[in-house]
Amino acid sequence: MSDDVQPTVAEVRAAAEAVKAALDRHLEAIENRTGEDDPAVYTAFDDLAAAAEAYDELLYDAYDEVTPFEVPSGDTLPEYAGSDEPAAISVLIRRDYSIVEPQRLLLQARRVADADSGPDTGVNAAVGILFGEYEPDEIAQRHKEFGLEEGDSTLWVSAAEPVEAGDWLAAPFDQADPQLIICRFDVSSVFDDELSALDPDN
């Protein structure tokens, strides 16, 4: 909301009432759910999240205060537009690391390269050596040994068309279409636990 237009007391109170009503609808949807993937529960969840966000914004603009709850924002993908029975899938993974102990990274790379007595290896070269030697999953499991600290990570499973081997290697991520994501799993340092998979029907 613009700094020039502050919300009124009535607007803030109306937003608070909207949160209360959304809470009631959410609980009612859960109590009357027809199955594990009941769309009414997803709809009530989204409505509650939107109401809580609107109230939080108005509360901050009017009183410089915030609410104590936060809704994980893993549902920013557009509505799924791919096939219900794709002929292939593509798995895209991103894992972020901070290099917190460069000397440990360099030492491990020299051990792998059997170059302890050779010239110093730079950080970029060390990263190339280690990722050339170990699978990404092994590096994820042993990251502390390599002087790395885990950051956020995400895994996308996307609907795809079968392709010939090598066809996409020149530009491997150009076809990452958010509308073809079947499911997504996020792990973030902001939240202690793994975020829920996005439901394409949500």
Side-chain angles (χ1 to χ4, degrees):
M1 180 171 289
S2 170
D3 291 337
D4 297 330
V5 182
Q6 295 299 314
T8 65
V9 172
E11 288 174 326
V12 178
R13 285 199 169 275
E17 292 301 324
V19 173
K20 296 175 188 177
L23 274 169
D24 288 338
R25 290 193 300 272
H26 184 247
L27 179 58
E28 182 179 0
I30 291 171
E31 291 173 336
N32 297 290
R33 72 190 329 160
T34 58
E36 186 175 342
D37 296 321
D38 188 343
V41 175
Y42 289 118
T43 298
F45 176 89
D46 290 339
D47 290 346
L48 176 57
E53 183 177 3
Y55 172 61
D56 194 81
E57 290 180 358
L58 288 171
L59 191 70
Y60 183 79
D61 288 340
Y63 301 109
D64 200 25
E65 293 287 348
V66 295
T67 58
F69 16 84
E70 182 175 10
V71 178
S73 57
D75 56 351
T76 56
L77 291 176
E79 184 176 353
Y80 179 69
S83 170
D84 290 336
E85 297 183 4
I89 60 170
S90 182
V91 180
L92 308 176
I93 301 174
R94 170 175 172 168
R95 293 182 177 131
D96 286 0
Y97 299 96
S98 297
I99 301 175
V100 292
E101 297 184 73
Q103 291 306 315
R104 182 181 291 272
L105 179 75
L106 296 171
L107 178 61
Q108 292 285 11
R110 291 185 191 123
R111 287 176 178 169
V112 169
D114 205 19
D116 286 335
S117 58
D120 287 343
T121 301
V123 169
N124 286 352
V127 168
I129 290 170
L130 292 175
F131 277 85
E133 177 71 14
Y134 301 107
E135 293 289 333
D137 287 346
E138 184 171 0
I139 289 179
Q141 293 173 354
R142 300 173 56 189
H143 62 277
K144 292 183 180 178
E145 296 178 35
F146 303 128
L148 304 175
E149 181 178 284
E150 285 184 312
D152 294 348
S153 67
T154 188
L155 182 152
W156 292 13
V157 182
S158 173
E161 294 294 329
V163 295
E164 295 294 328
D167 276 0
W168 48 257
L169 291 180
F173 299 109
D174 281 1
Q175 304 303 316
D177 185 348
Q179 288 190 300
L180 298 181
I181 302 303
I182 296 172
C183 57
R184 169 179 170 176
F185 302 88
D186 295 320
V187 178
S188 175
S189 58
V190 176
F191 308 106
D192 292 333
D193 300 319
E194 183 174 328
L195 303 181
S196 299
L198 294 184
D199 190 319
D201 296 327
N202 185 2

